[in-house]
Amino acid sequence: MTTTNLNTTILTSDERRTLTAAWSAFHASGEARAEDFILYAILRGKNPKTGFTRITNPKKLANGLREFGGYQHALDMLGRAYKGPLTRKLALCFPGLRGERFNELLDAISAAIEAARKEA
């Protein structure tokens, strides 16, 4: 299996520190959803599928659920958020980051989402 990773150099060390602090506060607020965890993994250059459990119950699979259905649903939700809610979430992670660098991150996230969808 291949893994979906962004180049770990996509974030500078200052951006990584900012992300870690912002994520801690966001996660503590209880507002983090499954797609937010995918975004966090993508930004850190980690495999976004790691935190999702496979469905192995034969009855559930026979009734139409997919093995990685939760992951695929969260990935779809993140993909739909691109350039809308995703922009707001990225602004929460990196307050003050605007312009070309902000757009670079959005484009890199979009590419990672598309790569993850192809693997899913």
Side-chain angles (χ1 to χ4, degrees), residues 35-105:
E35 60 266 23
D36 298 322
F37 286 90
I38 291 176
L39 175 60
Y40 185 58
I42 287 172
L43 287 170
R44 293 180 311 137
K46 305 292 183 184
N47 182 353
K49 201 175 204 178
T50 302
F52 291 84
T53 306
R54 288 181 20 210
I55 295 172
T56 57
N57 183 319
K59 286 185 178 183
K60 290 182 178 183
L61 293 170
N63 285 323
L65 290 180
R66 295 174 291 172
E67 184 178 20
F68 281 101
Y71 169 71
Q72 290 167 333
H73 176 72
L75 195 57
D76 288 343
M77 295 301 291
L78 182 60
R80 287 188 201 120
Y82 184 66
K83 297 279 186 176
L86 180 56
T87 303
R88 288 189 294 281
K89 287 182 185 188
L90 200 55
L92 287 173
C93 292
F94 302 104
L97 183 66
R98 297 288 177 261
E100 188 175 325
R101 182 65 180 138
F102 192 82
N103 290 330
E104 282 177 17
L105 288 176

Side-chain angles (χ1 to χ4, degrees), residues 2-3 8 11-14 16-17 25 43 50 58 60 62 64 74 78 92-93 97 100-101 107 110:
T2 59
T3 58
T8 54
L11 295 179
T12 66
S13 59
D14 288 339
R16 273 185 245 129
R17 280 192 292 277
L43 287 170
T50 302
K60 290 182 178 183
L78 182 60
L92 287 173
C93 292
L97 183 66
E100 188 175 325
R101 182 65 180 138
D107 291 342
S110 176

